[in-house]
Amino acid sequence: TVLADEVTVEVRGLAMPFAQFVLQIEEAELSETGADRVEFLFTANPGTPPVSLAQAASGGELSRLMLALEVVLADVASPSVMVFDEVDAGVAGAAAISVAQRLAKLAKSRQILVVTHLPQIAAFADQHFFVSKSSDGVTTSTDVQELLPESRRLEVARMLAGLESSVSAKAHSEELLDLAKKYKESLNA
């Protein structure tokens, strides 16, 4: 199907070069949900046939597959706002950069809100907010604070190493934020 082909292309661009997404559609008895039974099949590895998504995909693969589905369906429905809550679950390293780049590309044409714990994703944001929760034992409150450039660099360093004062984490934070800036500039070129 066209949907399966487009999702396969998207998911391959998210650091899964051999992934294949398949829609298996079978006729079913007419009910309130229709007259078809639809199952998502998936494989991430060459030489492995697609099987039920529930059996085939890890947490990170599911996260990237969900993003790919959202991206393809967004082109059809064209929502003005998209919210991703931990779309990067189970993702790290190069895959996280791929997810971050895809989110940044989506953000060129719509508002994207992302909840993440990954520095790679946070570094590609146009705006970065820090959400904290505190409790006095009786009540719990949540605080949201926009991070300005210097506090953002420190937060990305903390996300990378758990230590915002680490010299190497600060250097890596700068490198990651610079990579994100250059990528977003390339989208405007």
Side-chain angles (χ1 to χ4, degrees):
T1 68
V2 172
L3 176 63
D5 292 344
E6 289 182 7
V7 170
T8 294
V9 168
E10 278 297 324
V11 81
R12 285 180 178 179
L14 295 170
M16 290 195 293
F18 304 107
Q20 183 181 9
F21 178 74
V22 177
L23 285 174
Q24 184 174 320
I25 304 170
E26 299 173 354
E27 286 187 28
E29 192 170 315
L30 181 61
S31 70
E32 65 274 357
T33 59
D36 294 315
R37 181 181 171 282
V38 178
E39 185 173 15
F40 293 169
L41 305 177
F42 178 75
T43 183
N45 304 305
T48 305
V51 296
S52 173
L53 188 59
Q55 298 171 342
S58 69
E61 291 166 345
L62 280 173
S63 295
R64 288 177 275 170
L65 189 56
M66 187 197 82
L67 177 59
L69 274 164
E70 292 279 354
V71 166
V72 170
L73 294 175
D75 289 341
V76 174
S78 192
S80 59
V81 177
M82 296 178 80
V83 179
F84 295 97
D85 185 4
E86 299 190 33
V87 69
D88 52 19
V91 176
I97 296 288
S98 295
V99 169
Q101 289 172 331
R102 191 59 186 116
L103 290 167
K105 192 172 179 182
L106 269 177
K108 295 295 298 165
S109 60
R110 56 189 53 87
Q111 178 71 44
I112 304 293
L113 302 171
V114 180
V115 176
T116 187
H117 296 282
L118 286 182
Q120 294 93 332
I121 304 294
F124 277 77
D126 291 329
Q127 288 183 282
H128 186 164
F129 294 87
F130 180 77
V131 180
S132 61
K133 187 167 44 170
S134 61
S135 176
D136 61 9
V138 177
T139 58
T140 301
S141 62
T142 303
D143 184 51
V144 178
Q145 177 183 4
E146 182 178 7
L147 299 178
L148 300 176
E150 182 56 29
S151 56
R152 183 175 187 198
R153 281 189 287 280
L154 293 175
E155 176 57 15
V156 171
R158 186 200 63 77
M159 293 172 82
L160 284 161
L163 308 165
E164 64 183 45
S165 61
S166 164
V167 173
S168 60
K170 285 180 183 178
H172 191 186
S173 171
E174 289 289 338
E175 182 180 18
L176 194 53
L177 288 163
D178 189 50
L179 173 72
K181 180 181 176 186
K182 287 177 180 170
Y183 178 78
K184 290 189 290 182
E185 287 171 353
S186 77
L187 293 176
N188 293 330

